[in-house]
């Protein structure tokens, strides 16, 4: 039945980002949305949600596949490498990558997500919010839901981004009710009866359909239908009138979320399930076909609820248990282990669910479905199941990775309490998992920026025991899915650098012992290489990163070798070997297929072009790789500075810094802050620049950051000015003398001046510092005084000073 009054509302929403259809079951949300979208000739990606989709990786995998199939693109394959991370930081990058992919074409795309109310995962809601708020103009999202959504809809209303349909829009008007019964050829309805039905149902579409089905052979229709009693009404007035065999089929198959004829045949002992399901669709008995490439159906939620209510009335608990067990086993035998586990848990078949989870634990972990596993684990523990040690340990590892510290503590306490009562860690059959648990505790200390001595003590104790092989040994673990620096990952404590001595001890502990075969070992060494670079041990950093590159290639892990290649290129740049950096990056790009890693390499190429003064090529690369990721934004800010646009650069840097502060990303906070200092100095805000420099040094001193300052040559004169401030002592409770000495030891003022100034500027600077006036400099170099003033302005800016006297003082120092 066509509903043109609502189609007009859809037409008016084309300039908005999202359309939300919100109403209880039975108001025709899905039907209306599908009817409207069928009228367009534009690509439509449709995703129907079930409760098992409350896992970010599972949810987005299905959504990306739907979009790829609709658009006939490889967007799902391009983003696939990001779908296996357990690090929550990946999710934002995942959405940004998807946005980049769908922005490539301007061809209209409709993304419809049905039954979104079943999503209860906060991370998915946050990711959806980011997607919607940055959605390209040619893409529109539709959400069908029964409930109010935990999305910032009020803000979207103010911005006029959202079109909404609610009960008032969706309920049938009197004229639509009249048309409905006319199309159904319902001869029993006269005008008075029609008005009575309209009043009783209040235009509730499922109620009208039920009324029609219940009265199809009646001359005096019964309109006494109330929504709270729908299940009882459905059974008594509609299902009960069907043949007994059909009733039995409906009851038994109501346990299934999706109805595949082969499974239905085995569950009910029939051979004609496909025909029967098609018949139910044809007769409008609340059954819909949800796939057309193969016959897959489902019952309407109201219908399924009514059938299950009757099932539990008619059958004994033992019969129901056997039916559920059979249904779950059939689903499992078809290869749908996630759906089988979900069904078993829903009906409290905990032991069976636990067996299947244990059997597929490696597969679940490798696929990145962390949220699903953690939800299952929580359900088992909440129902006082004695969960296997292996599941608890993997849960503990996951909780640390995704930052659920309270859950991690709870799992660790349970494992340690069971150790006291059961001594499981001394039992040979659990020795391998006990070792994994102990290492996980050490990783947790590192990830939380804790005492490395405690972590090393745990690890050294492990080395005193005989190593026990585990099936987890050959399971690849991705510690970095997308970060351009390993220091930005959770396991590297987001840039909270330990002392160089402690970092070296940990690296040696993994590299030079039986731990050298673990997947985490090259990651630990890669973090050490970045630590060495930051502390300005360039030669040692180069040696370490070469080893990590080799190990990364051996394990085919770009999350290891790409950050090391980026670091290697940066070392080349600082050594003024820019052509070597370009050659390296070009060679690596040719051998890397994943788009997000190629993008990181191209951003580093742009960094090298900026360092070499090639603004044109840098800008071309940055325009081609444009994103909201901090690496791109930091390099783009440098380009803006090179183009003498400090205000624009400052705007970018404040965005990066704000996000980094939220995420507690130390290295990024410092890099953005140092560039912020340069912006203010360029704008002539010397005092503000010095205040912000102080802010940077306060943070840097805690973790001994050095190269972040040294890599930005313009900051060196400002550092010198800062160290000579008369009020320096008042800025610190106790001046960090050791750190300041270390930082100053690595700064050579004279060579820096040589690098900052062009030969002509250096010539003018040398004459200036001999005490010559502008007139004398102009006369000596045969230039005008105006030209000399312009040169001096540039020299002062580059050196971070604002007067002749300060320039002369800097030369003396």
């Amino acid at each position: 039945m066509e509903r043109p009054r609502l189609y007009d509302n859809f037409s008016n929403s084309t300039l908005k980002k999202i359309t939300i259809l919100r109403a209880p079951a039975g108001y025709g949300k899905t039907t209306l949305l599908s009817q409207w979208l069928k009228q367009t000739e534009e690509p439509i990606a449709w995703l129907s949600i079930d409760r098992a989709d409350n896992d970010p990786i599972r949810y987005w995998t299905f959504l990306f596949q739907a979009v790829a199939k609709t658009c006939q693109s490889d967007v799902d394959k391009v983003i696939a490498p990001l779908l296996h991370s357990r690090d929550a930081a990946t999710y934002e990058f995942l959405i940004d990558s998807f946005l980049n992919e769908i922005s490539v074409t301007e061809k209209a795309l409709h993304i419809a997500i049905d039954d979104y109310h079943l999503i209860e995962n906060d991370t998915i809601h946050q990711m959806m919010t980011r997607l919607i708020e940055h959605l390209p103009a040619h893409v529109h999202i539709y959400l069908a839901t029964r409930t109010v959504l935990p999305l910032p809809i009020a803000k979207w209303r103010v911005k006029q981004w959202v079109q909404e349909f609610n009960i008032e829009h969706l309920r049938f008007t009197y004229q639509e009710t009249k048309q409905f019964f006319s199309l159904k050829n319902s001869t029993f309805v006269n005008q008075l009866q029609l008005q009575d039905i309209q009043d009783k149902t209040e235009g509730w579409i499922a109620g009208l359909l039920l009324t029609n089905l219940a009265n199809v052979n009646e001359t005096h229709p019964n309109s006494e239908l109330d929504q709270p009693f729908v299940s009882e009404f459905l059974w008594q007035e509609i299902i009960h009138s069907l043949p007994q065999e059909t009733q039995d089929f409906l009851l038994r198959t109501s346990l299934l979320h999706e109805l595949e004829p082969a499974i239905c045949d085995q569950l009910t002992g029939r051979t004609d399930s496909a025909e029967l399901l098609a018949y139910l669709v044809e007769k409008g008995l609340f059954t819909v076909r949800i796939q057309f490439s193969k016959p897959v159906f489902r019952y309407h939620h109201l219908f399924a609820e009514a059938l299950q209510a009757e099932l539990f009335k008619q059958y004994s608990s033992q019969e129901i248990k056997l039916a559920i067990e059979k249904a779950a086993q059939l689903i499992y035998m078809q290869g749908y282990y996630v759906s089988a586990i979900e069904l078993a848990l829903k009906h409290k078949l905990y032991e069976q669910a636990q067996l299947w989870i244990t059997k597929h634990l490696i597969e679940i972990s490798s696929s990145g479905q962390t949220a699903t596993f953690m939800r299952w684990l929580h359900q088992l523990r909440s129902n006082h199941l004695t969960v296997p040690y292996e599941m608890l340990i993997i849960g503990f590892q996951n909780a640390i990775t995704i930052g659920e510290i309270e859950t991690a503590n709870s799992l660790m306490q349970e494992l340690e309490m069971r150790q006291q009562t059961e001594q499981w860690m001394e039992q040979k059959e659990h020795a391998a998992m006990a070792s994994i648990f102990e290492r996980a505790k050490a990783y947790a200390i590192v990830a939380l920026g804790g005492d490395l001595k405690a972590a090393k003590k745990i690890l050294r104790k492990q080395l005193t025991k005989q190593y026990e092989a585990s099936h987890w040994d050959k399971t690849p673990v991705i510690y970095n899915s997308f970060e351009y620096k390993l220091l930005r990952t959770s396991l590297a404590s987001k840039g909270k650098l330990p002392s160089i001595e402690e970092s070296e001890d940990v690296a040696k502990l993994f590299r030079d012992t039986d731990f050298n075969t673990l997947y985490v070992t090259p990651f630990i060494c890669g973090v050490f290489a970045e630590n060495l670079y930051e502390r300005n041990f360039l030669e040692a950093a180069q040696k370490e990163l070469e080893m990590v590159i080799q190990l990364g290639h051996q394990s085919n892990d770009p999350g290891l070798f790409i950050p090391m290649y980026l670091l290697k290129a940066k070392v080349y740049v600082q050594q003024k070997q820019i052509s070597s950096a370009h050659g390296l990056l070009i060679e690596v790009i040719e051998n890397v297929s994943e788009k997000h890693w190629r993008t990181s390499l191209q951003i580093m190429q742009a960094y090298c072009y900026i360092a070499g003064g090639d603004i044109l090529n840098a800008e071309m690369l940055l325009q081609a790789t444009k994103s909201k990721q901090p690496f791109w934004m930091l390099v783009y800010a440098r380009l803006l500075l090179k183009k003498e646009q400090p205000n624009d650069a400052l705007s970018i840097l404040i965005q990066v810094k704000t996000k980094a502060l939220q995420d507690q990303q130390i290295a990024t906070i410092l890099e953005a802050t140092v560039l912020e200092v340069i912006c203010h100095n360029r704008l002539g805000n010397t005092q503000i620049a010095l205040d912000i420099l102080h802010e940077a040094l306060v943070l840097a001193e805690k973790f001994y950051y050095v190269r972040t300052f040294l890599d930005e040559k313009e900051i060196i004169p400002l550092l010198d000015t800062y160290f000579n401030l008369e009020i320096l002592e008042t800025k610190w409770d106790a001046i960090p003398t050791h750190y300041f000495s270390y930082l100053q030891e690595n700064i050579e003022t004279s060579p820096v001046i040589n690098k900052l100034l062009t030969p002509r500027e250096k010539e003018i600077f040398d004459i200036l510092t001999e005490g010559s006036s502008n007139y004398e400099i102009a006369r000596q170099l045969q230039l005008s005084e105006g030209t000399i003033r312009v040169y001096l302005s540039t020299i002062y800016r580059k050196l971070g000073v604002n007067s002749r006297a300060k320039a002369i003082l800097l030369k003396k120092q």
Side-chain angles (χ1 to χ4, degrees), residues 256-493:
L256 304 174
H257 179 72
E258 292 185 354
L259 305 165
E260 289 195 22
I263 294 178
C264 293
D265 281 343
Q266 294 180 65
L267 187 60
T268 61
R270 300 175 69 111
T271 57
D272 62 345
S273 294
E275 292 80 4
L276 180 53
L277 288 165
Y279 170 80
L280 294 172
V281 173
E282 181 185 343
K283 293 300 180 183
L285 282 167
F286 294 92
T287 306
V288 293
R289 182 166 178 167
I290 59 174
Q291 287 191 33
F292 290 91
S293 57
K294 60 179 181 178
V296 181
F297 306 80
R298 74 169 172 84
Y299 297 133
H300 190 283
H301 303 296
L302 288 170
F303 197 55
E305 289 167 9
L307 290 170
Q308 289 183 25
E310 192 60 31
L311 176 71
F312 281 82
K313 286 181 185 177
Q314 288 197 20
Y315 290 82
S316 68
S317 57
Q318 184 61 27
E319 287 174 317
I320 291 169
K321 182 183 178 184
L322 291 172
I324 294 168
E325 287 176 347
K326 185 175 182 181
Q329 285 287 350
L330 289 170
I331 294 169
Y332 182 79
M333 294 301 291
Q334 290 289 321
Y336 307 133
Y337 70 86
V338 172
S339 297
I341 293 168
E342 292 284 0
L343 181 61
L345 288 172
K346 179 180 178 181
H347 295 285
K348 301 181 181 180
L349 302 179
Y350 298 126
E351 292 182 1
Q352 180 62 74
Q354 189 164 279
L355 284 172
W356 284 335
I357 295 170
T358 302
K359 184 174 181 179
H360 293 276
L361 192 50
I362 288 179
E363 189 176 349
I364 294 165
S365 183
S366 300
S367 67
Q369 296 185 67
T370 304
T372 295
F373 171 68
M374 296 302 284
R375 176 167 52 83
W376 290 343
L377 180 60
H378 175 73
Q379 190 170 348
L380 293 172
R381 295 178 74 212
S382 298
N383 286 278
H384 310 295
L385 267 287
T386 303
V387 179
Y389 308 119
E390 184 178 31
M391 285 176 62
L392 294 172
I393 292 164
I394 300 305
F396 173 66
Q397 283 185 319
N398 286 343
I400 290 297
T401 303
I402 61 181
E404 292 185 359
I405 306 306
E406 189 175 334
T407 301
N409 285 332
S410 172
L411 288 162
M412 183 171 68
Q413 288 170 13
E414 180 174 344
L415 284 161
E416 291 180 341
M417 285 177 62
R418 287 177 64 177
Q419 163 64 11
Q420 292 177 10
T421 57
E422 301 165 19
Q423 300 296 303
W424 65 273
M425 296 178 73
E426 277 71 51
Q427 297 168 21
K428 185 173 178 58
E429 63 267 32
H430 301 307
M433 290 312 301
S435 179
I436 291 173
F437 176 49
E438 289 296 317
R439 290 202 301 271
K441 287 197 288 186
Y443 301 163
I445 293 170
V446 175
L448 296 173
D451 183 4
L452 277 188
K453 292 179 182 177
K456 287 187 290 184
K457 184 178 179 181
I458 293 172
L459 293 169
R460 287 201 173 97
K461 184 178 178 182
Q462 284 293 298
L463 290 170
T464 63
K465 300 179 180 179
Q466 182 178 351
Y467 180 75
E468 295 289 341
S470 163
H471 54 264
W472 289 95
D473 292 347
K474 296 181 179 179
T475 305
V477 180
I478 306 300
Y479 291 100
N480 178 35
S481 296
F482 72 97
E483 294 287 8
Y484 67 101
K485 284 183 179 179
L486 299 182
L487 285 176
R488 281 181 50 87
T489 61
S490 297
L491 187 53
S493 65

Side-chain angles (χ1 to χ4, degrees), residues 123-160:
T123 300
I124 295 177
H125 295 317
Q126 291 165 13
M127 295 171 78
M128 282 295 294
T129 299
R130 186 172 183 84
L131 173 64
I132 291 163
E133 293 189 344
H134 296 92
L135 206 62
H138 63 279
V139 182
H140 194 89
I141 289 179
Y142 304 82
L143 298 181
T145 174
R146 293 187 190 181
T147 61
V148 174
L149 299 177
L151 300 172
I153 296 172
K155 180 176 75 173
W156 297 347
R157 288 188 189 118
V158 173
K159 293 179 176 287
Q160 298 187 342

Side-chain angles (χ1 to χ4, degrees), residues 229-242:
F229 303 103
V230 169
S231 293
E232 186 178 345
F233 181 90
L234 265 169
W235 178 257
Q236 292 179 358
E237 301 296 331
I238 297 168
I239 304 170
H240 191 62
S241 63
L242 297 171

